[in-house]
Coordinates of all heavy atoms in Angstrom, one line a residue:
M1 N -41.6 21.8 9.1 CA -42.1 23.2 8.8 C -41.0 24.1 8.4 O -39.9 24.1 9.0 CB -42.8 23.7 10.1 CG -43.4 25.1 9.9 SD -44.3 25.6 11.3 CE -45.7 26.3 10.5
P2 N -41.2 24.9 7.3 CA -40.1 25.7 6.8 C -39.8 26.8 7.9 O -40.6 27.1 8.7 CB -40.7 26.4 5.6 CG -42.1 25.9 5.4 CD -42.4 24.9 6.5
P3 N -38.5 27.3 7.9 CA -38.1 28.3 8.9 C -38.9 29.6 8.9 O -39.1 30.2 9.9 CB -36.6 28.5 8.6 CG -36.4 28.0 7.2 CD -37.5 27.0 6.9
F4 N -39.4 30.0 7.7 CA -40.2 31.3 7.6 C -41.5 31.0 6.9 O -41.6 31.3 5.7 CB -39.3 32.3 6.9 CG -38.0 32.5 7.4 CD1 -36.9 32.1 6.6 CD2 -37.7 33.0 8.6 CE1 -35.6 32.2 7.1 CE2 -36.4 33.1 9.1 CZ -35.4 32.7 8.3
P5 N -42.5 30.4 7.5 CA -43.7 29.9 6.8 C -44.4 31.0 6.1 O -44.9 30.8 5.0 CB -44.5 29.3 7.9 CG -44.0 29.7 9.2 CD -42.5 30.1 8.9
R6 N -44.6 32.2 6.7 CA -45.3 33.3 6.0 C -44.6 33.7 4.8 O -45.2 34.0 3.8 CB -45.5 34.5 7.0 CG -46.4 34.2 8.1 CD -46.8 35.4 8.9 NE -45.9 36.5 8.7 CZ -45.8 37.5 9.6 NH1 -46.5 37.5 10.6 NH2 -45.0 38.5 9.3
L7 N -43.3 33.8 4.9 CA -42.5 34.3 3.7 C -42.5 33.2 2.6 O -42.6 33.5 1.4 CB -41.0 34.5 4.1 CG -40.1 35.1 3.1 CD1 -40.6 36.4 2.6 CD2 -38.7 35.2 3.6
D8 N -42.4 31.9 3.0 CA -42.4 30.9 2.0 C -43.7 30.8 1.2 O -43.7 30.4 0.0 CB -42.1 29.5 2.7 CG -40.7 29.4 3.1 OD1 -39.8 30.2 2.6 OD2 -40.4 28.6 4.0
T9 N -44.8 31.2 1.8 CA -46.1 31.1 1.1 C -46.2 32.3 0.1 O -47.0 32.2 -0.9 CB -47.3 31.3 2.1 OG1 -47.2 32.5 2.8 CG2 -47.3 30.1 3.0
L10 N -45.4 33.3 0.2 CA -45.4 34.4 -0.7 C -44.4 34.3 -1.9 O -44.6 35.0 -2.9 CB -45.2 35.7 0.0 CG -46.2 36.1 1.1 CD1 -45.8 37.4 1.8 CD2 -47.6 36.3 0.4
L11 N -43.4 33.5 -1.7 CA -42.4 33.4 -2.7 C -42.9 33.1 -4.1 O -42.4 33.6 -5.1 CB -41.3 32.4 -2.3 CG -40.4 32.8 -1.2 CD1 -39.4 31.7 -0.9 CD2 -39.6 34.1 -1.6
H12 N -43.9 32.2 -4.2 CA -44.5 31.9 -5.5 C -45.3 33.0 -6.2 O -45.5 33.0 -7.4 CB -45.3 30.6 -5.4 CG -46.6 30.9 -4.7 ND1 -46.8 31.0 -3.4 CD2 -47.9 31.1 -5.2 CE1 -48.0 31.2 -3.0 NE2 -48.7 31.3 -4.1
A13 N -45.7 34.0 -5.4 CA -46.5 35.1 -5.9 C -45.6 36.3 -6.4 O -46.1 37.1 -7.1 CB -47.4 35.6 -4.8
L14 N -44.3 36.3 -6.1 CA -43.4 37.3 -6.5 C -43.1 37.2 -8.0 O -42.9 36.1 -8.5 CB -42.2 37.4 -5.7 CG -42.4 37.6 -4.2 CD1 -41.0 37.5 -3.4 CD2 -43.0 39.0 -4.0
K15 N -43.0 38.3 -8.7 CA -42.6 38.3 -10.1 C -41.4 39.3 -10.2 O -41.4 40.4 -9.8 CB -43.7 38.8 -10.9 CG -43.5 38.7 -12.4 CD -44.7 39.0 -13.2 CE -44.4 38.9 -14.7 NZ -45.6 39.3 -15.5
C16 N -40.3 38.8 -10.9 CA -39.1 39.6 -11.1 C -39.4 40.8 -12.0 O -39.9 40.6 -13.1 CB -38.0 38.7 -11.6 SG -36.5 39.6 -11.9
P17 N -39.1 42.0 -11.6 CA -39.3 43.2 -12.5 C -38.4 43.2 -13.7 O -38.6 43.8 -14.7 CB -39.0 44.4 -11.6 CG -38.8 43.9 -10.2 CD -38.6 42.4 -10.3
E18 N -37.2 42.5 -13.6 CA -36.3 42.4 -14.7 C -36.7 41.4 -15.8 O -36.7 41.8 -17.0 CB -34.9 42.1 -14.2 CG -34.3 43.1 -13.3 CD -33.8 44.3 -14.0 OE1 -33.4 44.2 -15.2 OE2 -34.0 45.4 -13.5
C19 N -36.9 40.2 -15.4 CA -37.2 39.1 -16.4 C -38.6 38.5 -16.4 O -38.9 37.8 -17.3 CB -36.1 38.0 -16.3 SG -36.3 37.0 -14.8
G20 N -39.3 38.8 -15.3 CA -40.7 38.3 -15.3 C -40.8 36.9 -14.7 O -41.9 36.4 -14.6
A21 N -39.7 36.3 -14.3 CA -39.8 35.0 -13.7 C -40.5 35.0 -12.3 O -40.5 36.0 -11.6 CB -38.3 34.4 -13.5
T22 N -41.0 33.9 -12.0 CA -41.7 33.8 -10.7 C -41.1 32.8 -9.7 O -41.7 32.3 -8.8 CB -43.2 33.4 -10.9 OG1 -43.3 32.1 -11.6 CG2 -44.0 34.4 -11.6
S23 N -39.8 32.5 -10.0 CA -39.1 31.5 -9.1 C -38.1 32.2 -8.3 O -37.0 32.5 -8.7 CB -38.4 30.5 -10.0 OG -37.5 31.1 -10.9
F24 N -38.5 32.6 -7.1 CA -37.6 33.3 -6.1 C -37.2 32.4 -5.0 O -38.0 31.5 -4.6 CB -38.4 34.5 -5.5 CG -38.3 35.7 -6.4 CD1 -39.2 36.1 -7.3 CD2 -37.2 36.6 -6.2 CE1 -39.1 37.2 -8.0 CE2 -37.1 37.7 -7.0 CZ -38.0 38.0 -7.9
S25 N -36.1 32.7 -4.4 CA -35.6 32.0 -3.2 C -35.2 33.1 -2.2 O -34.8 34.2 -2.7 CB -34.5 31.0 -3.5 OG -33.4 31.7 -4.0
F26 N -35.3 32.9 -0.9 CA -35.0 33.9 0.1 C -33.7 33.4 0.8 O -33.6 32.2 1.2 CB -36.1 34.1 1.1 CG -35.8 35.0 2.1 CD1 -35.6 36.4 1.8 CD2 -35.5 34.6 3.4 CE1 -35.3 37.3 2.8 CE2 -35.2 35.5 4.4 CZ -35.1 36.9 4.1
H27 N -32.8 34.3 1.0 CA -31.5 34.1 1.6 C -31.4 35.0 2.8 O -31.1 36.2 2.6 CB -30.3 34.2 0.7 CG -30.5 33.4 -0.6 ND1 -30.1 32.1 -0.6 CD2 -30.9 33.7 -1.8 CE1 -30.4 31.6 -1.8 NE2 -30.9 32.6 -2.5
P28 N -31.6 34.5 4.0 CA -31.5 35.4 5.2 C -30.1 35.8 5.4 O -29.1 35.1 5.2 CB -32.0 34.6 6.4 CG -31.9 33.2 5.9 CD -32.0 33.2 4.4
A29 N -29.9 37.1 5.9 CA -28.6 37.6 6.2 C -28.0 37.1 7.5 O -26.9 36.8 7.7 CB -28.6 39.1 6.2
E30 N -28.9 37.0 8.5 CA -28.5 36.5 9.8 C -29.8 36.1 10.6 O -30.9 36.3 10.2 CB -27.9 37.7 10.6 CG -28.7 38.9 10.8 CD -28.0 40.1 11.4 OE1 -26.9 40.4 10.9 OE2 -28.5 40.6 12.3
K31 N -29.6 35.3 11.6 CA -30.7 34.8 12.4 C -31.4 35.9 13.1 O -30.7 36.8 13.7 CB -30.1 33.8 13.4 CG -31.2 33.0 14.1 CD -31.2 31.6 13.6 CE -32.1 30.8 14.4 NZ -32.8 29.8 13.6
N32 N -32.7 35.9 13.1 CA -33.5 36.9 13.8 C -34.1 36.3 15.1 O -34.9 35.4 15.0 CB -34.6 37.4 12.9 CG -35.4 38.5 13.5 OD1 -35.1 38.9 14.6 ND2 -36.4 39.0 12.8
E33 N -33.6 36.8 16.3 CA -34.1 36.2 17.5 C -35.5 36.6 17.9 O -36.1 35.9 18.7 CB -33.1 36.7 18.7 CG -31.8 36.0 18.6 CD -30.8 36.8 17.7 OE1 -31.1 37.9 17.3 OE2 -29.9 36.1 17.2
A34 N -36.0 37.6 17.3 CA -37.4 38.1 17.6 C -38.4 37.2 17.0 O -39.6 37.3 17.3 CB -37.6 39.5 17.1
G35 N -38.1 36.3 16.1 CA -39.0 35.4 15.5 C -39.7 35.9 14.3 O -40.5 35.3 13.6
G36 N -39.4 37.2 13.9 CA -39.9 37.8 12.7 C -39.1 37.4 11.5 O -38.2 36.6 11.5
I37 N -39.4 38.0 10.4 CA -38.7 37.8 9.1 C -37.3 38.5 9.2 O -37.3 39.7 9.5 CB -39.4 38.3 7.9 CG1 -40.8 37.5 7.8 CG2 -38.6 38.2 6.6 CD1 -41.7 38.1 6.7
P38 N -36.2 37.8 9.0 CA -34.9 38.5 9.1 C -34.6 39.3 7.9 O -35.2 39.1 6.8 CB -34.0 37.3 9.3 CG -34.6 36.2 8.5 CD -36.1 36.4 8.7
D39 N -33.6 40.2 8.0 CA -33.1 40.8 6.8 C -32.4 39.8 5.9 O -32.0 38.8 6.3 CB -32.1 41.9 7.2 CG -32.7 43.1 7.9 OD1 -33.9 43.2 7.9 OD2 -32.0 43.9 8.4
G40 N -32.3 40.1 4.6 CA -31.7 39.2 3.7 C -32.0 39.7 2.3 O -32.2 40.9 2.1
D41 N -32.1 38.7 1.3 CA -32.4 39.1 0.0 C -33.1 38.0 -0.7 O -33.1 36.9 -0.4 CB -31.2 39.6 -0.8 CG -30.1 38.6 -0.9 OD1 -30.3 37.4 -0.6 OD2 -29.0 38.9 -1.3
F42 N -33.9 38.4 -1.7 CA -34.6 37.5 -2.6 C -33.7 37.3 -3.9 O -33.2 38.3 -4.4 CB -36.0 38.1 -3.0 CG -36.9 38.2 -1.9 CD1 -37.1 39.5 -1.3 CD2 -37.7 37.2 -1.5 CE1 -38.0 39.6 -0.2 CE2 -38.6 37.3 -0.5 CZ -38.7 38.5 0.2
A43 N -33.6 36.1 -4.3 CA -32.8 35.9 -5.5 C -33.7 35.3 -6.6 O -34.5 34.4 -6.3 CB -31.7 34.8 -5.2
C44 N -33.7 35.9 -7.8 CA -34.5 35.5 -8.9 C -33.9 34.2 -9.5 O -32.7 34.2 -9.8 CB -34.7 36.6 -9.9 SG -35.5 36.1 -11.4
G45 N -34.7 33.2 -9.7 CA -34.3 32.0 -10.3 C -34.1 32.1 -11.8 O -33.4 31.3 -12.4
G46 N -34.7 33.1 -12.4 CA -34.5 33.3 -13.8 C -33.3 34.1 -14.3 O -32.5 33.6 -15.0
C47 N -33.1 35.3 -13.7 CA -32.0 36.1 -14.1 C -30.9 36.2 -13.0 O -29.8 36.7 -13.3 CB -32.4 37.5 -14.5 SG -33.2 38.5 -13.2
G48 N -31.2 35.8 -11.8 CA -30.2 35.8 -10.7 C -30.1 37.1 -10.0 O -29.3 37.3 -9.1
K49 N -30.9 38.1 -10.4 CA -30.8 39.4 -9.7 C -31.3 39.3 -8.3 O -32.2 38.5 -8.0 CB -31.7 40.4 -10.5 CG -31.7 41.8 -9.9 CD -31.6 42.8 -11.0 CE -31.9 44.2 -10.4 NZ -30.7 44.9 -10.1
R50 N -30.7 40.0 -7.4 CA -31.1 40.0 -6.0 C -31.8 41.3 -5.6 O -31.4 42.4 -6.0 CB -29.8 39.7 -5.1 CG -29.3 38.3 -5.4 CD -28.1 38.1 -4.5 NE -27.6 36.7 -4.5 CZ -27.9 35.8 -3.7 NH1 -28.7 36.1 -2.6 NH2 -27.5 34.6 -3.8
Y51 N -32.8 41.1 -4.7 CA -33.5 42.2 -4.2 C -33.5 42.2 -2.7 O -33.8 41.2 -2.1 CB -35.0 42.2 -4.7 CG -35.1 42.2 -6.2 CD1 -35.1 41.0 -6.9 CD2 -35.0 43.4 -6.9 CE1 -35.2 41.1 -8.3 CE2 -35.1 43.4 -8.3 CZ -35.2 42.3 -9.0 OH -35.3 42.3 -10.3
A52 N -33.2 43.3 -2.0 CA -33.0 43.4 -0.6 C -34.3 43.3 0.2 O -35.3 43.8 -0.3 CB -32.2 44.6 -0.2
L53 N -34.2 42.7 1.4 CA -35.3 42.8 2.4 C -34.7 43.3 3.7 O -33.8 42.7 4.3 CB -35.9 41.4 2.6 CG -36.9 41.3 3.7 CD1 -38.2 41.9 3.2 CD2 -37.2 39.8 4.1
K54 N -35.1 44.5 4.1 CA -34.6 45.2 5.3 C -35.8 45.6 6.1 O -36.7 46.3 5.6 CB -33.7 46.4 4.9 CG -32.5 46.0 4.2 CD -31.6 47.2 3.9 CE -30.4 46.7 3.2 NZ -29.6 47.8 2.7
S55 N -35.7 45.3 7.4 CA -36.8 45.6 8.3 C -38.2 45.2 7.9 O -39.2 45.9 8.1 CB -36.8 47.1 8.6 OG -35.5 47.6 9.1
G56 N -38.3 44.1 7.2 CA -39.5 43.5 6.8 C -40.0 44.1 5.5 O -41.2 43.9 5.1
I57 N -39.2 45.0 4.8 CA -39.7 45.7 3.6 C -38.8 45.2 2.4 O -37.6 45.4 2.5 CB -39.6 47.2 3.7 CG1 -40.5 47.6 4.9 CG2 -40.0 47.9 2.4 CD1 -40.4 49.1 5.3
A58 N -39.4 44.6 1.4 CA -38.7 44.2 0.2 C -38.6 45.4 -0.8 O -39.5 46.1 -1.0 CB -39.4 43.0 -0.4
D59 N -37.4 45.5 -1.3 CA -37.1 46.6 -2.3 C -37.0 46.0 -3.7 O -35.9 45.5 -4.0 CB -35.8 47.3 -1.9 CG -35.5 48.5 -2.8 OD1 -36.4 48.8 -3.6 OD2 -34.5 49.1 -2.6
F60 N -38.0 46.1 -4.5 CA -38.0 45.6 -5.8 C -37.9 46.7 -6.9 O -38.1 46.5 -8.0 CB -39.3 44.7 -6.1 CG -39.2 43.4 -5.5 CD1 -39.8 43.2 -4.2 CD2 -38.6 42.3 -6.1 CE1 -39.8 41.9 -3.6 CE2 -38.6 41.1 -5.5 CZ -39.1 40.9 -4.3
L61 N -37.6 47.9 -6.4 CA -37.5 49.0 -7.3 C -36.2 48.9 -8.1 O -35.2 48.4 -7.6 CB -37.5 50.3 -6.6 CG -38.8 50.7 -5.9 CD1 -38.7 51.9 -5.1 CD2 -39.9 50.8 -6.9
P62 N -36.2 49.3 -9.4 CA -34.9 49.3 -10.1 C -33.9 50.2 -9.5 O -34.2 51.3 -9.0 CB -35.3 49.7 -11.5 CG -36.6 50.4 -11.4 CD -37.3 49.9 -10.1
S63 N -32.6 49.8 -9.6 CA -31.5 50.6 -9.0 C -30.8 51.5 -9.9 O -30.2 52.4 -9.6 CB -30.5 49.6 -8.3 OG -30.0 48.7 -9.2
G64 N -30.9 51.2 -11.2 CA -30.2 52.0 -12.2 C -31.0 53.2 -12.7 O -32.2 53.4 -12.2
P65 N -30.5 54.0 -13.6 CA -31.2 55.1 -14.1 C -32.4 54.7 -14.9 O -32.3 53.7 -15.7 CB -30.2 55.9 -14.9 CG -29.2 54.8 -15.3 CD -29.2 53.8 -14.2
S66 N -33.5 55.4 -14.8 CA -34.6 55.0 -15.5 C -34.6 55.7 -16.9 O -34.1 56.8 -17.0 CB -35.9 55.4 -14.8 OG -35.9 56.8 -14.5
L67 N -35.2 55.1 -17.9 CA -35.2 55.7 -19.2 C -36.5 56.5 -19.4 O -37.5 55.9 -19.7 CB -35.1 54.6 -20.3 CG -33.8 53.7 -20.2 CD1 -33.9 52.6 -21.2 CD2 -32.6 54.6 -20.5
L68 N -36.4 57.8 -19.2 CA -37.5 58.7 -19.2 C -37.5 59.4 -20.6 O -36.5 59.8 -21.1 CB -37.5 59.7 -18.1 CG -37.6 59.1 -16.7 CD1 -37.4 60.3 -15.7 CD2 -38.8 58.4 -16.4
T69 N -38.7 59.7 -21.1 CA -38.8 60.5 -22.3 C -38.6 62.0 -21.8 O -38.6 62.3 -20.7 CB -40.2 60.4 -22.9 OG1 -41.2 60.9 -22.0 CG2 -40.6 59.0 -23.2
M70 N -38.4 62.8 -22.8 CA -38.2 64.3 -22.5 C -39.4 64.9 -21.8 O -39.3 65.7 -20.9 CB -37.9 65.0 -23.8 CG -37.4 66.4 -23.5 SD -36.0 66.4 -22.5 CE -35.5 68.1 -22.6
A71 N -40.6 64.5 -22.2 CA -41.8 65.0 -21.5 C -41.8 64.5 -20.1 O -42.3 65.3 -19.2 CB -43.0 64.5 -22.3
Q72 N -41.4 63.3 -19.8 CA -41.4 62.8 -18.4 C -40.4 63.5 -17.6 O -40.6 63.8 -16.4 CB -41.2 61.3 -18.4 CG -42.3 60.5 -18.9 CD -42.0 59.0 -19.1 OE1 -40.8 58.7 -19.5 NE2 -42.9 58.2 -18.9
R73 N -39.2 63.8 -18.2 CA -38.1 64.5 -17.5 C -38.6 65.9 -17.1 O -38.3 66.4 -16.0 CB -36.9 64.6 -18.3 CG -36.1 63.3 -18.3 CD -34.8 63.5 -19.0 NE -34.4 62.2 -19.5 CZ -33.6 62.1 -20.6 NH1 -33.2 63.1 -21.2 NH2 -33.3 60.9 -21.0
T74 N -39.2 66.6 -18.0 CA -39.7 68.0 -17.7 C -40.7 68.0 -16.6 O -40.8 69.0 -15.9 CB -40.3 68.7 -19.0 OG1 -41.4 68.0 -19.4 CG2 -39.2 68.8 -20.1
G75 N -41.4 67.0 -16.4 CA -42.4 66.9 -15.3 C -41.8 66.8 -14.0 O -42.4 67.0 -13.0
Q76 N -40.5 66.5 -13.9 CA -39.8 66.4 -12.7 C -39.0 67.7 -12.3 O -38.4 67.8 -11.2 CB -38.8 65.2 -12.7 CG -39.5 63.9 -12.8 CD -38.6 62.7 -12.9 OE1 -37.4 62.9 -13.0 NE2 -39.1 61.5 -12.8
W77 N -39.0 68.7 -13.2 CA -38.3 69.9 -12.9 C -39.2 70.8 -11.9 O -40.4 70.8 -12.0 CB -38.1 70.7 -14.2 CG -37.2 70.0 -15.2 CD1 -36.4 69.0 -15.0 CD2 -37.1 70.4 -16.5 NE1 -35.7 68.7 -16.1 CE2 -36.1 69.5 -17.1 CE3 -37.7 71.4 -17.3 CZ2 -35.8 69.6 -18.4 CZ3 -37.3 71.4 -18.7 CH2 -36.4 70.6 -19.2
D78 N -38.5 71.5 -11.1 CA -39.2 72.4 -10.1 C -40.0 73.4 -10.8 O -41.1 73.7 -10.4 CB -38.2 73.1 -9.2 CG -37.6 72.1 -8.2 OD1 -38.2 71.0 -7.9 OD2 -36.5 72.4 -7.6
V79 N -39.5 74.0 -11.9 CA -40.2 75.1 -12.6 C -41.5 74.5 -13.2 O -42.5 75.2 -13.2 CB -39.3 75.8 -13.6 CG1 -39.0 74.8 -14.8 CG2 -39.9 77.0 -14.1
T80 N -41.4 73.3 -13.7 CA -42.6 72.7 -14.3 C -43.7 72.4 -13.2 O -44.9 72.7 -13.4 CB -42.3 71.4 -15.1 OG1 -41.2 71.7 -16.0 CG2 -43.5 70.9 -15.8
A81 N -43.3 71.9 -12.1 CA -44.2 71.6 -11.0 C -44.8 72.9 -10.5 O -46.0 73.0 -10.2 CB -43.5 70.9 -9.9
T82 N -44.0 74.0 -10.4 CA -44.6 75.2 -9.9 C -45.6 75.8 -10.9 O -46.6 76.3 -10.5 CB -43.4 76.2 -9.7 OG1 -42.5 75.7 -8.7 CG2 -43.9 77.6 -9.1
A83 N -45.2 75.8 -12.1 CA -46.1 76.3 -13.1 C -47.4 75.5 -13.2 O -48.5 76.1 -13.3 CB -45.5 76.3 -14.5
Y84 N -47.3 74.2 -13.1 CA -48.5 73.4 -13.1 C -49.4 73.7 -11.9 O -50.6 73.9 -12.0 CB -48.1 71.9 -13.1 CG -49.3 71.0 -12.9 CD1 -50.1 70.7 -14.0 CD2 -49.6 70.4 -11.7 CE1 -51.2 69.8 -13.9 CE2 -50.7 69.6 -11.6 CZ -51.5 69.3 -12.7 OH -52.6 68.5 -12.5
E85 N -48.8 73.7 -10.7 CA -49.6 74.0 -9.5 C -50.2 75.4 -9.4 O -51.4 75.5 -9.1 CB -48.8 73.7 -8.2 CG -48.5 72.3 -8.0 CD -49.7 71.5 -7.7 OE1 -50.7 72.0 -7.0 OE2 -49.8 70.3 -8.1
R86 N -49.5 76.4 -9.8 CA -49.9 77.8 -9.6 C -50.8 78.3 -10.8 O -51.6 79.1 -10.7 CB -48.8 78.7 -9.4 CG -48.1 78.4 -8.1 CD -47.1 79.5 -7.8 NE -46.4 79.2 -6.6 CZ -45.3 79.6 -6.2 NH1 -44.6 80.5 -7.0 NH2 -44.8 79.3 -5.0
V87 N -50.5 77.7 -12.0 CA -51.2 78.2 -13.2 C -52.2 77.2 -13.8 O -53.4 77.4 -13.8 CB -50.2 78.7 -14.2 CG1 -50.9 79.2 -15.5 CG2 -49.2 79.7 -13.7
W88 N -51.7 76.1 -14.3 CA -52.5 75.2 -15.0 C -53.6 74.5 -14.2 O -54.7 74.5 -14.6 CB -51.6 74.2 -15.7 CG -52.4 73.2 -16.5 CD1 -52.6 71.8 -16.2 CD2 -53.2 73.4 -17.6 NE1 -53.4 71.2 -17.0 CE2 -53.8 72.1 -18.0 CE3 -53.5 74.5 -18.4 CZ2 -54.7 72.0 -19.0 CZ3 -54.3 74.3 -19.5 CH2 -54.9 73.1 -19.8
R89 N -53.2 74.0 -13.1 CA -54.2 73.2 -12.4 C -55.4 74.0 -11.9 O -56.6 73.6 -12.0 CB -53.6 72.5 -11.1 CG -54.5 71.5 -10.5 CD -53.7 70.6 -9.5 NE -53.2 71.3 -8.4 CZ -53.9 71.4 -7.2 NH1 -55.0 70.8 -7.1 NH2 -53.4 72.0 -6.2
K90 N -55.2 75.3 -11.5 CA -56.3 76.1 -11.1 C -57.2 76.5 -12.2 O -58.4 76.6 -12.1 CB -55.7 77.4 -10.4 CG -55.0 77.2 -9.1 CD -54.5 78.5 -8.6 CE -53.7 78.2 -7.3 NZ -53.1 79.4 -6.8
R91 N -56.6 76.7 -13.4 CA -57.4 77.2 -14.5 C -58.0 76.0 -15.4 O -58.9 76.2 -16.1 CB -56.6 78.1 -15.4 CG -56.3 79.4 -14.7 CD -55.4 80.3 -15.5 NE -55.2 81.6 -14.9 CZ -54.4 81.8 -13.9 NH1 -53.7 80.9 -13.4 NH2 -54.3 83.0 -13.4
A92 N -57.4 74.9 -15.3 CA -57.8 73.7 -16.1 C -59.2 73.3 -15.8 O -60.0 72.8 -16.6 CB -56.8 72.6 -16.0
L93 N -59.6 73.4 -14.5 CA -60.9 72.9 -14.1 C -62.0 73.8 -14.6 O -63.1 73.4 -14.8 CB -61.0 72.8 -12.6 CG -60.1 71.7 -12.0 CD1 -60.1 71.8 -10.5 CD2 -60.5 70.4 -12.5
S94 N -61.7 75.1 -14.9 CA -62.7 76.0 -15.4 C -62.8 76.1 -16.9 O -63.6 76.8 -17.4 CB -62.4 77.4 -14.8 OG -61.2 77.9 -15.3
L95 N -61.9 75.4 -17.6 CA -61.9 75.4 -19.1 C -63.1 74.7 -19.6 O -63.6 73.8 -19.3 CB -60.7 74.9 -19.6 CG -59.4 75.7 -19.4 CD1 -58.2 75.0 -20.0 CD2 -59.5 77.1 -20.1

């Protein structure tokens, strides 16, 4: 029986956000005495990128800066969010 049976059944279902490969392997950081899934990382068999697993939560989010359009960037500004919430959203439903 594999050392982490629940985790091993999910490895084939994971898809790498970078290259799209579905061949992952798990590398535990240390032995977990509680019997749960230990911290460690997932390694993509396609591109070799590693994704962390900490406290049972896998982090597959990109770590670098995202390429946002100017319209997407303005949506993250405080002034845009304030104007949207106070002005546009209230009036848009009545248009």
